[in-house]
Amino acid sequence: MAERGRPRSFDRDAALRRAMEVFWTKGYEGASISDLTEAMGIGSPSLYAAFGSKEALFREAIELYGRIEGPEIWDVVENAPDARAAVEGFLTATAHSFSRPGKPRGCMVVLSQLNTTEASASVCAALRENRAQGQSGLEARLRRAVGDGDLPPSVDFAALAAFYLTVQQGMSIQARDGASEDRLLAVAKGAMAAWGPLTAP
């Protein structure tokens, strides 16, 4: 059966990308419907018809963020020749990504909603799950390094992953506050100075 009703007169993918940038800049609660519709170039009825709700739009925006921003950082982790190079690449790619001109600074997953309210509880839960996936991904890479003999079995890879993810999350806040790429690279270099003591047998 042919679809009834007036066809959409906007590019849904382009509108979603612009919504992502609004959420990335203002956060979930800080982004009003009028902010979103203005950036997306549509009216609120079209937003609800295409995406269902503000929360559903945000969830799609987070998924899009992961698809287009994640590979720059996580491909380095997966393709590095050893664990140290993986973590150093993780932080170096983070410094580049979080400070790139022409896009919001910092990490959308870290910055877009931290404080839980009644209206945002499910959004916060989704973001916590997303951050937990980052922890799991880095843990898995370090666990693989233990299996390859690249790290000693005594290393607490969960704590090691948590440490470097905490550094990355701090870099996100620094970037949002205006830290330059050089400053973020200096943070990454400082964090890597802890690699030896943290991974010693």
Side-chain angles (χ1 to χ4, degrees):
M1 179 182 293
E3 183 179 355
R4 294 184 177 182
R6 185 177 179 181
R8 292 195 189 109
S9 59
F10 67 95
D11 183 330
R12 190 182 190 280
D13 291 340
L16 177 60
R17 193 181 188 102
R18 289 192 289 269
M20 178 192 74
E21 292 176 353
V22 173
F23 284 128
W24 190 353
T25 301
K26 296 192 172 188
Y28 176 71
E29 291 197 347
S32 67
I33 293 296
S34 60
D35 291 331
L36 293 164
T37 54
E38 181 178 356
M40 297 165 77
I42 60 176
S44 55
S46 294
L47 184 154
Y48 290 115
F51 298 98
S53 66
K54 178 183 176 182
E55 180 177 336
L57 173 61
F58 179 77
R59 287 176 178 270
E60 284 201 44
I62 285 290
E63 291 175 4
L64 177 63
Y65 176 84
R67 290 198 305 272
I68 65 176
E69 298 293 332
E72 179 178 359
I73 294 172
W74 290 102
D75 285 355
V76 174
V77 174
E78 288 302 313
N79 297 325
D82 56 49
R84 192 186 193 286
V87 173
E88 186 171 26
F90 172 71
L91 295 180
T92 300
T94 289
H96 294 316
S97 179
F98 286 5
S99 60
R100 182 178 300 130
K103 72 174 188 177
R105 299 173 67 85
C107 175
M108 181 180 177
V109 175
V110 172
L111 298 173
S112 57
Q113 187 72 20
L114 289 174
N115 297 322
T116 304
T117 66
E118 185 176 351
S120 68
S122 61
V123 166
C124 286
L127 290 170
R128 282 195 299 271
E129 181 179 349
N130 197 298
R131 291 190 291 269
Q133 290 173 359
Q135 170 80 20
S136 298
L138 199 52
E139 279 186 35
R141 179 63 183 86
L142 296 173
R143 188 184 297 111
R144 190 174 90 204
V146 173
D148 292 342
D150 181 30
L151 288 176
S154 59
V155 167
D156 185 343
F157 53 80
L160 189 62
F163 172 74
Y164 283 107
L165 279 168
T166 300
V167 172
Q168 190 209 35
Q169 290 164 359
M171 291 169 71
S172 182
I173 296 170
Q174 290 284 317
R176 180 60 58 91
D177 286 346
S180 67
E181 181 178 339
D182 286 344
R183 175 61 62 85
L184 297 178
L185 288 170
V187 171
K189 182 178 180 180
M192 291 311 300
W195 180 262
L198 289 173
T199 60

